[in-house]
């Protein structure tokens, strides 16, 4: 009987799935602290993990572990080489939250363009004259630059096009042949695209350096708005805070941060030109249900011998799928 550890709060739909699975037992702990789940690793053959770190030391504490399923698509906090060294596949949920991310990016875009944060505070403070500041702008006719044209980037492009925006995409890893029928134009030069953009929406994975560093941020127009729903660290936060403080760009809508949660006194948190959310772009009610179900199903499929090979991060940990 396979035994599974579910570490982190899971939607009821995922729990119902594993409860109904014949021949499977499981432990369930809602806190994501190491102290909550580490003592249970010793018996775990399968592990469903949320946002907490899975280090090599923790993997060593799981002698019978055979599969890890990440409740999401990112795996920065997982020591993948430590899993691969033992032939343990790391499985992700695939495309279950890109629409939620895209909608959140558009919500931040609209809210910053319309100055909703300032308008809300003004009404609550009795400052009805705020309406005469004409602080809100429109999306129609504005130029949007999307950095990273994967699943969420493509959906943002389609939503933005519906608002009448002119959409450009920068993705040096994308085959231009895949742009047929897309609402975005692909550009091969980042610098001029940044200079022309009214809005920039970031949808790239974390790399060795920020995709928007001081030099790139300096190219933005003074009324440009930056949206980041990708990863903390892909935008240089010190350079962004300095640009906002000096009025070199208009505003930023941020869902992700280099340190989460941000430290007390963080310049971006203190800024009146930012609209902030706590890394929830992919966490709609609907996507949380989908992620819970798929993350549990991945473990059940592994033990049943029908794991979706396309969802495995470290495919070297498994023999290649049979052909035919």
């Amino acid at each position: 009987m396979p035994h599974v550890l579910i570490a982190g709060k899971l939607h009821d739909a995922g729990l119902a799935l594993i409860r109904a699975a014949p021949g499977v037992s499981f432990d369930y702990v809602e806190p994501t602290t190491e102290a909550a789940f580490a003592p249970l690793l010793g018996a775990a053959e399968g592990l469903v993990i949320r946002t907490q770190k899975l280090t090599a030391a923790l993997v060593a504490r799981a002698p019978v572990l055979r599969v890890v399923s990440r409740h999401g698509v990112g795996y920065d906090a997982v020591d993948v080489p430590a899993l691969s060294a033992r032939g343990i596949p790391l499985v992700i949920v695939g495309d279950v939250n890109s629409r939620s991310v895209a909608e959140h990016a558009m919500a931040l875009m609209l809210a910053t363009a319309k100055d909703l944060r300032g308008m809300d505070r003004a009404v609550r403070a009795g400052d009805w004259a705020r309406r005469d500041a004409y602080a809100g702008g429109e999306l129609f006719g504005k130029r949007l630059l999307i950095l990273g044209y994967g699943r969420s980037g493509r959906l943002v492009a389609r939503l933005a096009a519906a608002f009448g925006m002119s959409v450009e995409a920068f993705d040096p890893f994308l085959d231009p042949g895949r742009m047929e029928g897309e609402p975005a134009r692909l550009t091969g030069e980042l610098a001029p695209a940044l200079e022309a953009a009214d809005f920039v929406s970031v949808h790239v994975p974390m790399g060795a350096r920020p995709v928007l560093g001081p030099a790139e941020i300096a190219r933005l127009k003074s009324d440009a708005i930056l949206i980041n729903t990708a990863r903390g660290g892909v935008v240089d936060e010190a350079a962004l805070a300095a640009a906002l403080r000096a009025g070199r760009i208009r505003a930023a809508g941020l869902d992700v941060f280099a340190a989460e949660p941000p430290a007390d006194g963080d310049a971006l948190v203190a800024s009146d030109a930012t609209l902030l959310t706590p890394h929830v772009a992919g966490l709609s009610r609907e996507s949380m249900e989908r992620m819970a179900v798929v993350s549990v199903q991945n473990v059940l499929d592994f033990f049943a011998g029908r794991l979706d090979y396309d969802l495995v991060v470290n495919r070297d940990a498994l023999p290649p799928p049979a052909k035919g």
Side-chain angles (χ1 to χ4, degrees):
M1 175 181 287
H3 185 73
V4 178
L5 169 59
I6 299 175
K9 186 174 176 59
L10 199 71
H11 191 282
D12 287 345
L15 294 174
L17 179 61
I18 197 165
R19 288 191 182 108
V24 177
S25 62
F26 71 98
D27 290 315
Y28 174 48
V29 291
E30 290 194 355
T32 56
T33 61
E34 182 175 320
F37 78 94
L40 301 172
L41 284 170
E45 295 175 73
L47 172 63
V48 176
I49 195 167
R50 285 287 307 272
T51 57
Q52 63 269 58
K53 289 184 177 180
L54 184 62
T55 63
L58 288 170
V59 173
R61 294 180 62 174
V64 295
L65 187 62
R66 297 168 57 195
V67 62
V68 175
S69 180
R70 169 75 176 86
H71 182 279
V73 293
Y75 46 90
D76 298 346
V78 178
D79 192 321
V80 180
L83 294 178
S84 297
R86 285 184 39 196
I88 301 171
L90 171 64
V91 198
I92 57 176
V93 297
D95 186 17
V96 299
N97 66 353
S98 58
R99 181 162 297 280
S100 179
V101 172
E103 289 184 1
H104 197 88
M106 289 302 301
L108 290 175
M109 205 179 303
L110 282 162
T112 49
K114 299 292 184 183
D115 187 36
L116 295 190
R117 180 188 181 198
M119 298 294 186
D120 177 82
R121 287 184 304 183
V123 173
R124 295 176 189 275
D127 181 16
W128 198 253
R130 176 81 177 200
R131 68 190 302 269
D132 297 324
Y134 311 124
E138 299 178 357
L139 300 190
F140 181 82
K142 300 300 192 301
R143 297 185 67 162
L144 168 64
L145 172 62
I146 298 174
L147 302 183
Y149 207 63
R151 295 185 181 104
S152 62
R154 288 174 184 268
L155 287 171
V156 168
R158 292 166 191 163
L159 294 172
F163 276 88
M165 302 184 81
S166 173
V167 186
E168 195 168 27
F170 176 80
D171 191 329
F173 303 102
L174 183 67
D175 180 358
R178 296 183 58 194
M179 295 300 291
E180 184 176 353
E182 291 292 328
R185 304 180 307 278
L186 189 64
T187 178
E189 298 184 61
L190 180 57
L194 288 170
E195 292 168 357
D198 299 300
F199 296 85
V200 178
S201 189
V202 184
H203 300 270
V204 297
M206 186 61 197
R209 59 176 295 273
V211 67
L212 292 181
E216 290 79 15
I217 291 172
R219 291 185 177 276
L220 295 173
K221 299 191 296 187
S222 61
D223 60 349
I225 292 176
L226 174 63
I227 306 297
N228 185 12
T229 54
R231 283 285 183 273
V234 299
V235 175
D236 186 304
E237 293 182 357
L240 175 60
L244 290 167
R245 187 166 51 247
R248 295 198 303 271
I249 65 173
R250 179 180 168 190
L254 307 173
D255 182 57
V256 290
F257 306 87
E260 295 184 349
D264 291 342
D266 184 278
L268 292 173
V269 175
S271 173
D272 287 334
T274 57
L275 181 63
L276 312 175
T277 55
H279 202 155
V280 294
L283 303 184
S284 65
R285 291 188 297 271
E286 295 85 353
S287 70
M288 288 298 289
E289 179 175 356
R290 292 191 295 266
M291 281 193 284
V293 169
V294 175
S295 61
V296 169
Q297 189 64 58
N298 281 339
V299 171
L300 299 179
D301 285 348
F302 171 83
F303 290 122
R306 55 172 183 265
L307 183 62
D308 186 344
Y309 194 75
D310 290 337
L311 297 180
V312 178
V313 172
N314 53 340
R315 297 178 185 175
D316 57 326
L318 289 175
K323 296 181 179 179

